[in-house]
């Protein structure tokens, strides 16, 4: 099926979800925990066929996706400009760009302490790349042998993060 041509409900109607009335009241009355940090920006992934350490990725298999498939994605140089412009509005922003925009570096941040997190990169749907079994964000591949740092930040991996940001 061609998902880009699907007749999605969201194309014609606004969709929202609310929990029980008591959950909504509790969420509105609970004080928001203060964030330790204002802004984290992640993007400008290196997609030129090398790892973050500058080593060639070669023909290695990346979680069922051919490693060279990531190198075939068009670079998005405007993402650096976008994140740098966004960061200017914050007191102490943190940016993970280019070789620092890896899964391991993102996981190493205190993600629960950021108020806003911005990912400026390719977003892939299942099967956008041959062998990709779930949606993913594309980051800089650090290692084609390490599925936890292969450049494909999958929905399952993101769901395991401790995020308490007001906006991601």
């Amino acid at each position: 099926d061609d998902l880009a041509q699907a007749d999605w409900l969201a194309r014609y109607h606004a969709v929202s979800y609310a929990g029980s009335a008591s959950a909504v009241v509790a969420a509105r009355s609970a004080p928001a925990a203060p964030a330790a940090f204002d802004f984290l920006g992640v993007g400008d992934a290196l997609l030129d066929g090398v790892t973050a350490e500058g080593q060639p990725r070669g023909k290695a298999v990346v979680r069922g996706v051919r490693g060279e498939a990531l190198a075939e994605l068009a670079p998005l140089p405007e993402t650096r400009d976008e994140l740098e412009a966004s960061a200017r509005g914050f007191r102490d922003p943190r940016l993970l760009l280019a070789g620092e925009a890896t899964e391991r570096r993102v996981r190493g941040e205190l993600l629960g302490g950021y108020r806003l997190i911005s990912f400026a990169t390719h977003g892939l749907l299942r099967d956008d790349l041959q062998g990709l079994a779930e949606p993913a964000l594309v980051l800089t591949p650090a290692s084609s042998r390490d599925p936890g740092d292969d450049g494909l930040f999958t929905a399952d991996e993101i769901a395991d993060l401790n995020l308490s940001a007001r906006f991601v």
Side-chain angles (χ1 to χ4, degrees), residues 20-89:
S20 67
S22 60
V24 171
V25 170
R28 286 185 179 163
S29 62
F37 310 106
D38 283 334
F39 180 82
L40 172 66
V42 182
D44 193 26
L46 298 176
L47 301 174
D48 55 2
V50 296
T51 66
E53 290 83 28
Q55 301 301 315
R57 277 202 313 269
K59 306 290 184 190
V61 174
V62 178
R63 196 176 321 161
V65 175
R66 301 276 317 161
E68 64 270 16
L70 289 179
E72 293 172 4
L73 292 172
L76 300 172
E78 299 85 12
T79 60
R80 175 182 288 267
D81 298 337
E82 175 185 328
L83 291 171
E84 287 174 344
S86 297
R88 282 189 212 111

Side-chain angles (χ1 to χ4, degrees), residues 14 96 147 168:
L96 298 178
V168 178

Side-chain angles (χ1 to χ4, degrees), residues 4 62 65 69 73 94 110 116 130 133 155 159 165-166:
V62 178
V65 175
L73 292 172
R94 175 91 166 106
L110 299 171
L116 300 168
Q130 185 176 356
R166 290 182 158 270

